[in-house]
Amino acid sequence: GSLNGNFYKIDPSNGKKIWSYKAGAQIHSTCALNNNAAVFGTDKGKIIAVETASGTEKWKVETGLPVISTPLINGDKVYIGCNDSNFYCISLNDGNKFWQVNLHSKIISGSASDKDGNIIVGCVDGKLYKLSKENGNILWSAETKGTIVSSPVVSGKNLYISSYDSYVYAFDIET
């Protein structure tokens, strides 16, 4: 994606453009890829999936506020946070929402999943959440003393995340 509102597929062997998709707004979100789709957010509140082979739009979800967060693709689901304070679980196939949960703070960080597929995400207000992959219910939460804009990292039973309070936090992923 780019700030000119286009999303590109580039041939890595020669740097030439294979296709471009006009998103209609600046793209600050890093995309997530699987074999068939690229998913990203736009500054005008859209979550978009395009076919990786052709650049054709698969679906689009309107959120109303900028989507800067990096999506997470896990199986047939896309997980992504938004500036509207909602965290979404969307069907990768057709863009239908499985669920959304309001975390009461902008979400600009990416997310991670644990060994069971549950989702961990941080918010601008410094809170960190583990959400059920099934319905978005909050399984646990923790708080830092600063804004979270980094994506969490899971390693075994540990979860790591940094905060604008100048600390890196380590949590037991289960509790």
Side-chain angles (χ1 to χ4, degrees), residues 87 103 107 109-111 119-123 127-131 152:
F87 192 83
L103 297 177
I107 305 162
S109 73
S111 55
I119 307 302
I120 297 94
V121 64
C123 297
K127 291 183 181 168
L128 182 69
Y129 296 93
K130 181 175 178 181
L131 306 175

Side-chain angles (χ1 to χ4, degrees), residues 2-3 26-30 41-43 67-68:
S2 70
L3 296 182
Q26 291 185 335
I27 302 167
H28 281 93
S29 169
T30 302
T42 74
D43 289 9
V67 181
I68 299 169

Side-chain angles (χ1 to χ4, degrees), residues 1 7-8 27-34 37-41 48 50 52 68-73 80:
F7 186 82
Y8 300 99
I27 302 167
H28 281 93
S29 169
T30 302
C31 73
L33 297 169
N34 78 353
V39 181
F40 59 93
I48 300 171
V50 296
T52 53
I68 299 169
S69 176
T70 300
L72 172 68
I73 296 174
I80 189 167

Side-chain angles (χ1 to χ4, degrees), residues 10-66:
I10 305 296
D11 185 332
S13 67
N14 60 23
K16 292 186 179 178
K17 178 175 68 172
I18 297 172
W19 52 254
S20 65
Y21 169 83
K22 187 163 183 65
Q26 291 185 335
I27 302 167
H28 281 93
S29 169
T30 302
C31 73
L33 297 169
N34 78 353
N35 292 333
N36 304 315
V39 181
F40 59 93
T42 74
D43 289 9
K44 287 200 176 170
K46 293 178 179 62
I47 303 165
I48 300 171
V50 296
E51 294 178 4
T52 53
S54 65
T56 304
E57 182 180 298
K58 287 181 61 137
W59 51 260
K60 187 185 317 180
V61 173
E62 302 271 344
T63 69
L65 288 173

Side-chain angles (χ1 to χ4, degrees), residues 142-157:
E143 195 166 341
T144 68
K145 294 184 171 124
T147 298
I148 297 175
V149 297
S150 65
S151 297
V153 174
V154 174
S155 179
K157 294 177 88 177

